Amino acid sequence: MLPHPLDQTPDRTLVMGILNVTPDSFSDGGAHDTVETAIAHGRRLLAEGADVIDVGGESTRPGAHAVSPEEEQARILPVVEALLAEGAVVSVDTMHTATARAALEVGPVIVNDVSGLVHEPDMPALIAQTGAPYVVMHNRGNPQTMDALTDYRDTVEDVVRELQEVVDRFLAAGAAPEQLILDPGLGFAKAGEQNWELLRGLDRMQALGFPVLVAASRKRFLGTLLAGPDGADPAPAERDHATAAVSAISAAHGAWGVRVHDVRASADAVRVGSAWRGASAGAPGGGAA
Ligand code: PMM
């Protein structure tokens, strides 16, 4: 068993900083696509207050083209190795079991798999064998089909049930419940309003008893919310204040973590939300001291 990468973490909602080593991610594609620029950006995210760095080598935006596991590993493994050597907590954003395995050979990482386990049936066995923390994200279909798979009877109830089904597959493979982190998969097989329903229903997801990760950063539903009078969505990087607001709400509801591009704003926002959650509301009718 590898040491748990989250053995020493603060008692508040964590900030996971996004490091996409890809030429085509929807909001920052191409910005950090060499090993050196990616490592430098990872260091910057740590300095800004990231508790975890989420390193990804394959864009998951709707319609994105798949990357081979070999190409993905060539992009991310040197970055993972360098950040682990600097003492960072690292997660690896991958849908490929081979890439998760290769990263776990480099060192103890969290496996962040946005596939919803649709593609790779041997992921549960790897997670059970290694004891690695694993993000179970809700998803349907693949980047080509997910936008059409948004029929829900009750969005929160259906997502919670489908997440539980994936959790059960990991437990059946021998993974421990403590390894699993749940994620509603905002923007993945979700249409605009459904993302808000899931944020509003975070408590119902938390009731499953697992830590919950919220990844709203710069997503389309925030762009839609912030559209100007001309109806045009602001560019992804113009959605960072709204993202920080979601981070505060998530922390107030006790989320385990938020996954964001702009770490600095969310590092403050989770402190606000966690402080609000931790404060006593006082007795009804009690006066201010
Ligand atoms: N979204 C993206 C990538 N990875 N991981 C998790 N756990 N949850 C998400 O919602 C998620 C993710 C897509 O966004 P990006 O292209 O900005 O990384």
Side-chain angles (χ1 to χ4, degrees), residues 32-57:
H32 325 295
D33 60 354
T34 71
V35 169
E36 291 71 28
T37 54
I39 294 169
H41 188 60
R43 288 193 187 118
R44 195 155 50 236
L45 296 176
L46 289 168
E48 289 175 357
D51 302 295
V52 181
I53 304 293
D54 188 42
V55 184

Side-chain angles (χ1 to χ4, degrees), residues 1-96:
M1 286 276 165
L2 294 164
H4 197 294
L6 293 168
D7 275 348
Q8 290 183 338
T9 45
D11 185 22
R12 59 163 167 73
T13 299
L14 302 180
V15 179
M16 180 184 273
I18 301 172
L19 182 49
N20 283 324
V21 197
T22 56
D24 61 347
S25 272
F26 85 96
S27 78
D28 57 356
H32 325 295
D33 60 354
T34 71
V35 169
E36 291 71 28
T37 54
I39 294 169
H41 188 60
R43 288 193 187 118
R44 195 155 50 236
L45 296 176
L46 289 168
E48 289 175 357
D51 302 295
V52 181
I53 304 293
D54 188 42
V55 184
E58 176 177 22
S59 173
T60 50
R61 73 183 157 76
H65 290 292
V67 171
S68 72
E70 293 74 25
E71 170 70 26
E72 184 185 38
Q73 288 161 39
R75 289 178 183 177
I76 68 166
L77 293 183
V79 181
V80 170
E81 188 168 10
L83 294 175
L84 283 176
E86 296 187 18
V89 177
V90 174
S91 64
V92 170
D93 190 337
T94 184
M95 295 189 274
H96 299 291

Side-chain angles (χ1 to χ4, degrees), residues 20 26 60 93 112 114 135 137 183 188 213 215 219 259 261:
N20 283 324
F26 85 96
T60 50
D93 190 337
N112 175 26
V114 304
V135 179
M137 197 197 79
D183 182 332
F188 289 87
L213 174 65
K219 286 191 174 164
R259 177 184 180 278
H261 299 86

Side-chain angles (χ1 to χ4, degrees), residues 34-215:
T34 71
V35 169
E36 291 71 28
T37 54
I39 294 169
H41 188 60
R43 288 193 187 118
R44 195 155 50 236
L45 296 176
L46 289 168
E48 289 175 357
D51 302 295
V52 181
I53 304 293
D54 188 42
V55 184
E58 176 177 22
S59 173
T60 50
R61 73 183 157 76
H65 290 292
V67 171
S68 72
E70 293 74 25
E71 170 70 26
E72 184 185 38
Q73 288 161 39
R75 289 178 183 177
I76 68 166
L77 293 183
V79 181
V80 170
E81 188 168 10
L83 294 175
L84 283 176
E86 296 187 18
V89 177
V90 174
S91 64
V92 170
D93 190 337
T94 184
M95 295 189 274
H96 299 291
T97 309
T99 299
R101 184 177 293 115
L104 286 162
E105 280 163 11
V106 172
V109 296
I110 302 166
V111 177
N112 175 26
D113 175 6
V114 304
S115 75
L117 219 57
V118 189
H119 317 291
E120 306 240 340
D122 46 350
M123 191 68 95
L126 174 72
I127 297 305
Q129 276 158 21
T130 56
Y134 178 86
V135 179
V136 180
M137 197 197 79
H138 179 269
N139 201 353
R140 290 174 169 177
N142 59 44
Q144 279 72 44
T145 61
M146 63 186 181
D147 272 355
L149 300 173
T150 58
D151 276 347
Y152 297 90
R153 200 182 47 76
D154 172 321
T155 311
V156 179
E157 192 178 306
D158 292 356
V159 166
V160 166
R161 191 189 55 254
E162 290 172 25
L163 277 172
Q164 181 70 59
E165 286 165 12
V166 180
V167 164
D168 289 345
R169 288 172 63 186
F170 278 88
L171 299 181
E178 300 75 48
Q179 288 174 252
L180 304 178
I181 297 160
L182 305 186
D183 182 332
L186 301 174
F188 289 87
K190 317 285 176 326
E193 189 59 25
Q194 292 165 345
N195 296 288
W196 292 112
E197 291 172 29
L198 287 163
L199 285 173
R200 188 75 179 84
L202 267 188
D203 294 345
R204 284 163 73 193
M205 188 165 296
Q206 309 242 90
L208 286 184
F210 295 92
V212 171
L213 174 65
V214 175

